[in-house]
Amino acid sequence: MASFKIALLLGVIAFVNACSQAPGTTTTTVTTTVTTVSADDGSEAGLLSAHERSLIRKTWDQAKKDGDVAPQVLFRFVKAHPEYQKMFSKFANVPQSELLSNGNFLAQAYTILAGLNVVIQSLFSQELMANQLNALGGAHQPRGATPVMFEQFGGILEEVLAEELGSGFTAEARQAWKNGIAALVAGIAKNLKKAEDLADPQTKLTPHQIQDVQRSWENIRNGRNALVSSIFVKLFKETPRIQKFFAKFANVAVDSLAGNAEYEKQIALVADRLDTMISAMGDKLQLLGNINYMRYTHTERGIPRAPWEDFSRLLLDVLGSKGVSSDDLDSWKGVLAVFVNGVSPIKK
């Protein structure tokens, strides 16, 4: 039973592998740290019976005779999910209306067909399949492939098989494929990135980072004025010239800043702006708007990048002293890097 789960998984992995390889190239085993899946692993639900495996093989042997099956599956996949077409460098910018006549597209489609055919005809090579699963899972983890992609691809494959085979694709056969795809998703989830770990292409933040930062900030935000003030004091003591950017208290002794009306007003402004940006991280447009506003207003004042980097460093120190966990601090580092790069980009 476990052999089918592993075999089917490898076949659909051929789809993601094609995203990053040119037609006809050979898959290279990548050594990395991944969750090891053994050939006898039976922890996932949906393992298939011998009869179901036979149905899979029988329906596949019938469907693959039609040369249109592979192009149709891939075409419908990128049509339903246009964002995935960008993963195929050879036809990333080809209009969808031209895909079915594009040589690179067809080559990739038949690469997928060949991969599926090999593994479905090798359902009982448990050891080989398990070894390849571990290697391919590790290779695709850093590429951003997610279990959802495989689930979506499997659903479209099922639709095409149903249309191709007609009455030959019985309810029993359809259920066998559904079970196989469910096992696929359960198995691949061990080695591929989850959606919450993928960065938004515009904000460069992951849902995981946003959640960590907003959660830990909520625990300390009521004391944000005092937190920001402590950072400013350290910043001015480390680099006195930074205080000169604040004309209204530029010449006030650092140890006398507390209680100074203009200083307290500036602290409240910075603390509230930081709070606003953190609260807006889940709203892409609002976050980018805040970052752009900060860049515009501070460029006019001639504030260089270094003070932003120092403020971020000292903020991380304060967060650590307040008990923020190391995992959450890692998320803070990523978020603050995005803030700093947005407000004061590195000059090339």
Side-chain angles (χ1 to χ4, degrees), residues 91-117:
F91 55 88
N93 298 312
V94 175
Q96 288 192 349
S97 60
E98 301 175 12
L99 285 176
L100 288 172
S101 60
N102 180 274
N104 288 320
F105 173 86
L106 292 174
Q108 298 291 21
Y110 288 113
T111 296
I112 296 168
L113 176 69
L116 281 168
N117 186 60

Side-chain angles (χ1 to χ4, degrees), residues 134-152:
N134 289 325
L136 288 173
H140 290 88
Q141 185 185 50
R143 296 178 185 173
T146 67
V148 172
M149 289 176 58
F150 289 86
E151 186 176 53
Q152 293 165 336

Side-chain angles (χ1 to χ4, degrees), residues 52-71:
E52 288 174 317
R53 294 200 303 273
S54 295
L55 285 173
I56 290 288
R57 179 174 290 180
K58 179 181 178 181
T59 50
W60 177 250
D61 285 345
Q62 293 172 344
K64 71 179 182 181
K65 295 176 182 178
D66 188 337
D68 290 336
V69 168

Side-chain angles (χ1 to χ4, degrees), residues 7-15 60 108-122 129 132:
L8 180 59
L9 177 55
L10 281 169
V12 187
I13 282 180
F15 156 71
W60 177 250
Q108 298 291 21
Y110 288 113
T111 296
I112 296 168
L113 176 69
L116 281 168
N117 186 60
V118 168
V119 296
I120 291 176
Q121 298 305 321
S122 304
M129 293 302 177
Q132 291 187 49

Side-chain angles (χ1 to χ4, degrees), residues 111-285:
T111 296
I112 296 168
L113 176 69
L116 281 168
N117 186 60
V118 168
V119 296
I120 291 176
Q121 298 305 321
S122 304
L123 296 180
F124 298 99
S125 299
Q126 294 188 30
E127 183 176 358
L128 174 62
M129 293 302 177
N131 288 339
Q132 291 187 49
L133 173 61
N134 289 325
L136 288 173
H140 290 88
Q141 185 185 50
R143 296 178 185 173
T146 67
V148 172
M149 289 176 58
F150 289 86
E151 186 176 53
Q152 293 165 336
F153 184 79
I156 290 172
L157 173 61
E158 180 190 325
E159 291 176 4
V160 173
L161 289 174
E163 292 178 13
E164 177 65 27
L165 298 174
S167 60
F169 197 64
T170 63
E172 191 178 26
R174 182 186 289 272
Q175 189 60 51
W177 279 93
K178 286 183 181 296
N179 290 347
I181 292 167
L184 162 101
V185 175
I188 202 169
K190 295 180 178 180
N191 284 329
L192 295 185
K193 290 185 177 180
K194 299 178 181 179
E196 60 265 28
D197 294 321
L198 299 179
D200 181 274
Q202 290 180 286
T203 66
K204 310 303 181 186
L205 297 177
T206 71
H208 181 73
Q209 288 175 314
I210 293 172
Q211 181 181 22
D212 286 349
V213 169
Q214 289 183 333
R215 183 188 63 251
S216 54
W217 178 251
E218 189 61 31
N219 294 330
I220 58 178
R221 67 185 298 270
N222 288 337
R224 60 186 180 275
N225 285 22
L227 182 151
V228 170
S229 181
S230 69
I231 293 173
F232 266 56
V233 168
K234 292 179 181 178
L235 194 59
F236 294 161
K237 287 184 176 181
E238 281 186 2
T239 313
R241 66 177 180 275
I242 294 177
Q243 189 175 344
K244 301 302 180 182
F245 287 108
F246 301 92
K248 293 182 178 181
F249 52 86
N251 298 313
V252 178
V254 175
D255 292 333
S256 300
L257 284 172
N260 179 281
E262 294 299 333
Y263 172 76
E264 297 294 349
K265 187 185 299 183
Q266 182 65 39
I267 291 299
L269 178 64
V270 173
D272 287 345
R273 177 61 61 180
L274 180 61
D275 182 57
T276 297
M277 293 179 70
I278 291 172
S279 299
M281 287 193 300
D283 185 325
K284 183 189 304 185
L285 293 179

